[in-house]
């Protein structure tokens, strides 16, 4: 061992003397930095005459095809070796055996197909290895075994199909790994699990379509995960990131269409979240959860249509929000937990409706520390402000045009409806206002039904409550509340469901409940139903207002159904019509007691009064 040192020392001395002379023919050498550059010299082999004390050797952009143990065996002091952009397809085992001091090895852009165990043996001080843009198809077990100090590994732009479970064994110092542009069809979970000290993982341009639960396990030090350009990924399942404790997550250029709230919930320490260029359309209230440390949220170029009020209440430290290039028509102040903490906002490139909801972003109103970045947000409506940037908006334009109007619910406001069990029923609530009011229906059982609800009872786009198949316990009083930032309006509607076997939902409506109504308009309805015991089917437009019936009667063109409807209306009016005026009925009813659910509602509120208007 000692003899070897003396020998090597001797050689160094010898060559130091002749340094000025020793530089390969076409290369440039610097004695001071002990570097040799043979960049782009069309070399087909490692040139003769490289000084053996060379520390930095650049052989990039040449025509090297093979690396053998002889090539670098005499350069014990080599720290930086650049072999990128050659034609290397074979690196023989032991080629870097004597490069104990090597820190950086660049093999990028070659034609390497395999890294067998042993090829990189000896590189105990290597910190950076670049294998990007080669022809690696698999990474074999123990390929990087000796690289204890390797901090950064790049194996992108290969055709990697498979990473063996033990490929990364020994990379105990690895902090940053980039896996990009490969043919992997799944996250190499088992292989990655050996990287206990990994801090950054970048996986870009992959065609992985599915993230399995616990895809990234035992990566307890991982802080930053970048999944960029995964065009096939359409969701982030709840447990897919479980086990990680990230501070930065990039999930960008994906096909993810719903906000991945459940998957993120396990990452309470997140400070930066980038979900740009996804297909997320809505962020609902409460969906994001609580991220007390999140300072930056980016959702640029997604397909955002709405961010609900209170959507970001869990983001108490949010300083930057980028929602530029989306389809948002507004961004309400109430979206944020603390709008005053927000410093930077990117809102450009959205079709903004400049009404009262955006007042808080005008220079005169906005929190003093808030800056609007990038493109200045522009109004696309109302017409008069279209094309103007928020910065330009001043009085008197503001008080004249940046306004909202309270919701108003259409004229045929109060409804009394009856439906047969099993038949659909619709209660309308056509609300107008600017911005368009959102509608919530409260059922007799105090359930809130909104446009987001799904199931047997839903709210349609126009605010109509749609019961797909009425059940007896649906009978009762419904309330529709339409609200927008300017205020709210409400409306009551009552529904009586008539059972087919003579049972019904409302005790007081046993007779008159054969009268069918379709609430979608006050003046006519089109129904199809069975009639009593028999099976008389009718399907026609039935005018249910008295005037029309009287006119029809007078004209003598009364159908069987018309007669029936007319009789029921008379019956109805007669039996309930104590407080009858010219065009109003006052009806008092008590929900059916035998029906458990409606009885509850009745007990709490007693008999109710309904005002029914006939046009
Ligand atoms: C390389 O690493 C070994 C231990 O693995 C260490 O003893 C040696 O000093 C290092 N050499 C250089 C040049 O850093
Ligand atoms: C990798 O994917 C590319 C493009 O889809 C394809 O051309 C190539 O053959 C694939 N390579 C392997 C090894 O599967
Ligand atoms: C993204 O999702 C949409 C809708 O589900 C689908 O039509 C489209 O093909 C998807 N794109 C990719 C690349 O998977
Ligand atoms: C998660 O990360 C945060 C910040 O990096 C750290 O304070 C916390 O202790 C970590 N939690 C666990 C369970 O490792
Ligand atoms: C967020 O992701 C997008 C898409 O990859 C990228 O363009 C943008 O630079 C990222 N933002 C930050 C701050 O890294
Ligand atoms: C409707 O507005 C009133 C005040 O105008 C308010 O007290 C009430 O809470 C609002 N209701 C809803 C459901 O928004
Ligand atoms: C109610 O009437 C509308 C048209 O006015 C019709 O489209 C709808 O199908 C009817 N609903 C029922 C339950 O009959």
């Amino acid at each position: 061992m000692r003899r070897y040192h003396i020998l090597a020392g001797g050689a160094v001395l010898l060559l130091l003397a002749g340094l000025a002379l020793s530089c390969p023919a076409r290369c440039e050498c610097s004695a001071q930095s002990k570097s040799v550059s043979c960049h782009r010299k069309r070399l087909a082999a490692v040139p003769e005459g490289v000084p053996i004390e060379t520390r930095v050797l650049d052989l990039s952009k040449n025509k090297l095809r093979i690396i053998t143990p002889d090539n670098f065996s005499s350069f014990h002091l080599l720290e930086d070796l650049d072999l990128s952009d050659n034609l290397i397809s074979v690196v023989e085992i032991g080629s870097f055996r004597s490069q104990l001091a090597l820190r950086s090895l660049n093999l990028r852009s070659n034609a390497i197909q395999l890294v067998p165990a042993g090829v990189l043996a000896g590189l105990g001080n290597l910190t950076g290895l670049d294998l990007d843009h080669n022809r690696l198809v698999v990474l074999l077990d123990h390929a990087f075994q000796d690289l204890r100090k390797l901090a950064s590994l790049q194996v992108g732009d290969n055709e990697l199909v498979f990473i063996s479970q033990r490929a990364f064994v020994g990379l105990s110092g690895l902090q940053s790994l980039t896996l990009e542009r490969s043919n992997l069809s799944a996250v190499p979970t088992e292989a990655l699990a050996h990287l206990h000290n990994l801090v950054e993982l970048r996986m870009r341009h992959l065609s992985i379509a599915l993230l399995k639960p616990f895809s990234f396990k035992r990566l307890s030090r991982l802080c930053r995960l970048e999944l960029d350009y995964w065009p096939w990924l359409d969701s982030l399942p709840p447990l897919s990131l479980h086990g990680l404790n990230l501070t930065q997550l990039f999930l960008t250029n994906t096909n993810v269409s719903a906000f991945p709230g459940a998957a993120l919930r396990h990452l309470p320490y997140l400070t930066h979240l980038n979900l740009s260029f996804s297909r997320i359309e809505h962020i609902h209230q409460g969906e994001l959860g609580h991220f007390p440390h999140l300072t930056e949220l980016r959702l640029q170029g997604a397909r955002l249509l709405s961010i609900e009020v209170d959507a970001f209440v869990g983001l108490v430290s949010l300083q930057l929000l980028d929602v530029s290039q989306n389809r948002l028509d507004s961004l309400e102040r109430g979206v944020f937990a603390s709008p005053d903490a927000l410093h930077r906002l990117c809102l450009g490139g959205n079709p903004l409706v400049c009404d009262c909801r955006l007042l808080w972003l005008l220079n005169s109103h906005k929190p003093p520390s808030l800056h609007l970045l990038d493109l200045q947000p522009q109004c696309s409506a109302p017409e008069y402000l279209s094309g103007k940037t928020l910065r330009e908006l001043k009085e008197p334009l503001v008080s004249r045009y940046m306004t909202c109007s309270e919701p108003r619910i259409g004229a045929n406001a109060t409804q009394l409806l009856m439906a047969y069990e099993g038949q659909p029923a619709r209660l309308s609530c056509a609300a107008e206002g600017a911005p368009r009011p959102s509608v919530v229906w409260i059922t007799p059982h105090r359930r809130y039904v909104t446009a987001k609800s799904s199931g047997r009872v839903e709210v349609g786009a126009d605010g109509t409550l749609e019961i797909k198949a009425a059940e007896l316990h649906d009978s009762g009083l419904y309330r529709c509340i339409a609200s927008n930032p300017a205020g709210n309006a409400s409306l009551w509607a009552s529904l009586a469901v008539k059972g087919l076997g003579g049972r019904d939902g409302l005790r007081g409506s046993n007779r008159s409940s054969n009268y069918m109504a379709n609430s979608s308009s006050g003046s006519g309805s089109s129904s199809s139903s069975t009639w009593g015991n028999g099976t008389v089917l009718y399907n026609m437009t039935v005018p249910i207002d008295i005037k029309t019936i009287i006119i029809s009667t007078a004209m003598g063109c009364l159908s069987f159904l018309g007669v029936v409807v007319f009789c029921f209306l008379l019956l109805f009016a007669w039996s309930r019509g104590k407080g009858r005026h010219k065009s109003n009925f006052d009806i008092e009813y008590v929900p059916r007691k035998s029906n458990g659910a409606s009885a509850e509602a009745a007990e709490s509120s007693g008999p109710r009064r309904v005002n029914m208007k006939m046009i």
Side-chain angles (χ1 to χ4, degrees):
M1 219 41 206
R2 194 173 293 156
R3 201 181 329 144
Y4 166 84
H5 276 297
I6 293 169
L7 220 94
V12 170
L13 275 178
L14 211 95
L15 260 116
L16 261 175
L19 191 68
L21 306 173
S22 154
C23 185
R26 284 182 264 173
C27 307
E28 285 132 41
C29 304
S30 154
Q32 216 173 14
S33 60
K34 299 200 168 54
S35 65
V36 174
S37 169
C38 312
H39 175 75
R40 204 192 274 271
K41 300 293 180 216
R42 304 214 186 117
L43 299 172
V46 179
E48 299 286 320
V50 176
I52 62 166
E53 76 283 7
T54 300
R55 299 222 159 132
V56 179
L57 177 56
D58 181 358
L59 289 167
S60 58
K61 283 238 174 214
N62 283 294
K63 306 212 155 136
L64 306 183
R65 284 174 184 278
I66 179 165
I67 302 296
T68 67
D70 296 338
N71 289 144
F72 305 110
S73 59
S74 39
F75 308 116
H76 301 286
L77 302 178
L78 213 52
E79 289 173 4
D80 189 332
L81 177 58
D82 189 348
L83 294 166
S84 60
D85 291 296
N86 278 283
L87 306 168
I88 301 165
S89 58
V90 176
V91 182
E92 289 184 2
I93 289 180
S95 291
F96 304 111
R97 193 176 48 197
S98 14
Q99 271 63 57
L100 298 180
L102 199 65
R103 300 237 168 88
S104 157
L105 175 58
N106 191 346
L107 284 163
R108 178 188 189 92
S109 296
N110 279 287
I112 300 169
Q113 286 171 359
L114 212 55
V115 182
V119 161
L120 301 170
L123 297 174
N125 288 329
L126 196 69
T127 55
L129 174 61
D130 190 346
L131 283 164
D132 275 350
H133 210 282
N134 275 283
R135 304 218 182 120
L136 296 168
V137 176
V138 294
L139 290 182
L140 298 178
D141 279 351
H142 304 288
F144 306 103
Q145 177 153 276
D146 284 349
L147 313 184
R148 289 178 299 277
K149 293 204 181 151
L150 196 68
S152 135
L153 172 63
Q154 279 162 273
V155 281
D157 263 316
N158 282 286
E159 289 186 8
L160 278 177
V161 178
F162 180 65
I163 299 183
S164 168
Q165 286 196 8
R166 287 176 226 283
F168 296 140
V169 165
L171 291 175
S172 52
L174 197 68
Q175 296 189 352
S176 159
L177 174 63
T178 304
L179 277 173
E180 57 185 6
R181 288 182 218 276
S182 75
N183 293 22
L184 292 174
S185 58
V187 174
T189 304
E190 296 300 329
L192 293 174
H194 290 100
L195 302 172
H196 305 300
N197 287 312
L198 200 65
V199 176
E200 276 182 26
L201 175 58
R202 285 192 200 88
M203 301 182 76
R204 299 196 195 114
H205 291 270
L206 298 177
S207 12
I208 297 176
L210 185 71
L211 273 180
K212 296 203 183 110
F214 306 97
S215 279
F216 304 93
K217 56 185 184 188
R218 296 203 283 280
L219 296 173
S220 53
R221 297 263 168 89
L222 198 69
C223 290
R224 181 184 168 104
L225 176 63
E226 228 177 274
L227 309 181
D228 183 28
Y229 212 86
W230 289 35
W232 304 102
L233 189 73
D234 52 20
S235 69
L236 200 62
L239 293 177
S240 51
L241 303 180
H242 210 104
L244 291 173
N245 183 18
L246 300 176
T247 56
Q248 304 193 15
L249 174 64
F250 286 59
L251 186 72
T252 52
N253 292 296
T254 62
N255 212 15
V256 169
S257 57
F259 192 87
L264 301 183
R265 208 140 293 163
H266 309 292
L267 306 171
Y269 288 95
L270 273 184
T271 60
H272 293 71
L273 178 59
N274 191 345
L275 294 167
S276 297
F277 304 105
S278 57
R279 294 197 311 119
I280 298 173
E281 292 188 347
H282 302 281
I283 301 183
H284 300 296
Q285 180 184 348
E287 199 167 40
L288 209 63
H290 187 60
F291 296 94
H293 306 283
L294 195 70
T295 56
E296 290 195 17
L297 174 59
R298 294 180 190 266
L299 272 154
Q300 188 196 352
R303 304 204 183 166
L304 282 176
L305 288 166
S306 72
I307 302 179
E308 275 183 11
V309 166
D310 284 344
F312 296 162
V313 278
L315 314 184
V316 291
S317 315
L318 193 67
Q319 292 179 6
L320 180 147
L321 175 68
D322 184 350
V323 285
S324 54
Q325 314 294 342
N326 279 291
R327 304 185 199 159
L328 293 172
D329 65 354
S330 199
L331 183 68
E332 291 180 49
R333 193 176 205 266
V335 161
F336 302 94
S338 44
D340 295 340
L342 197 68
H343 294 318
R344 287 177 293 162
L345 175 64
C346 308
L347 186 59
N350 282 293
L352 298 176
V353 175
C354 293
D355 58 24
C356 68
R357 293 171 294 171
L358 289 180
L359 280 175
W360 75 284
L361 287 178
L362 297 187
N363 280 334
S364 44
H365 298 63
K366 75 179 167 62
S369 54
L370 179 63
H371 297 280
L372 295 176
L373 300 181
D374 302 344
L375 272 169
Q376 268 296 310
Q378 270 187 1
C379 305
S380 65
E383 207 175 330
Y384 198 80
L385 301 180
S386 164
K388 293 215 172 2
T389 63
L390 288 186
R391 190 186 285 162
E392 285 173 300
L393 294 178
K394 303 244 157 58
E395 290 297 350
L397 286 185
V398 172
S399 35
R400 185 176 304 168
Y401 296 102
M402 285 189 77
T403 55
C404 294
S405 64
E406 263 180 67
R408 270 170 296 110
I409 300 180
N412 51 333
T414 311
Q415 302 165 74
L416 177 72
L417 299 163
M418 287 164 212
Y420 278 113
E421 189 179 4
Q423 291 295 313
R426 306 170 85 240
L427 306 180
S428 84
C429 181
E432 283 168 29
R436 211 177 132 148
S438 60
V439 167
V440 55
W441 278 92
I442 305 172
T443 70
H445 309 302
R446 304 266 184 279
R447 194 161 83 84
Y448 284 69
V449 187
T450 67
K452 276 187 276 166
S453 313
S454 60
R456 194 174 61 86
V457 184
E458 290 181 352
V459 173
D462 60 351
T464 303
L465 183 79
E466 300 182 15
I467 301 177
K468 286 176 192 158
E471 291 172 7
L472 291 179
H473 65 84
D474 289 332
S475 298
L477 261 193
Y478 288 76
R479 187 177 182 205
C480 158
I481 301 176
S483 50
N484 75 4
N488 55 42
S490 75
L491 150 97
W492 292 93
S494 132
L495 176 70
V497 179
K498 164 85 177 160
L500 289 176
R503 300 165 301 151
D504 62 7
L506 288 186
R507 197 178 58 185
S509 63
N510 48 348
R511 293 218 164 206
S512 51
S513 60
N514 277 345
Y515 149 68
M516 292 283 303
N518 180 330
S519 67
S520 64
S521 83
S523 60
S525 82
S526 161
S527 314
S528 161
S529 174
T530 53
W531 190 268
N533 254 355
T535 51
V536 183
L537 268 170
Y538 63 92
N539 187 353
M540 58 178 285
T541 296
V542 189
I544 60 162
D545 63 304
I546 292 175
K547 249 188 246 160
T548 317
I549 292 175
I550 292 171
I551 292 167
S552 312
T553 317
M555 289 174 69
C557 55
L558 210 59
S559 66
F560 163 66
L561 185 70
V563 175
V564 172
V565 169
F566 186 47
C567 290
F568 276 117
L569 278 171
L570 286 181
L571 235 151
F572 192 77
W574 171 76
S575 63
R576 308 266 167 256
K578 282 182 188 154
R580 190 180 156 181
H581 309 292
K582 206 161 85 190
S583 62
N584 283 339
F585 302 83
D586 261 323
I587 294 152
E588 193 177 61
Y589 77 91
V590 182
R592 212 166 101 104
K593 284 279 190 289
S594 61
N595 185 310
S598 24
E600 263 171 49
E603 268 149 8
S604 57
S605 46
R608 289 169 177 141
R609 285 193 157 266
V610 179
N611 183 261
M612 182 183 179
K613 267 206 181 96
M614 305 289 273
I615 303 163

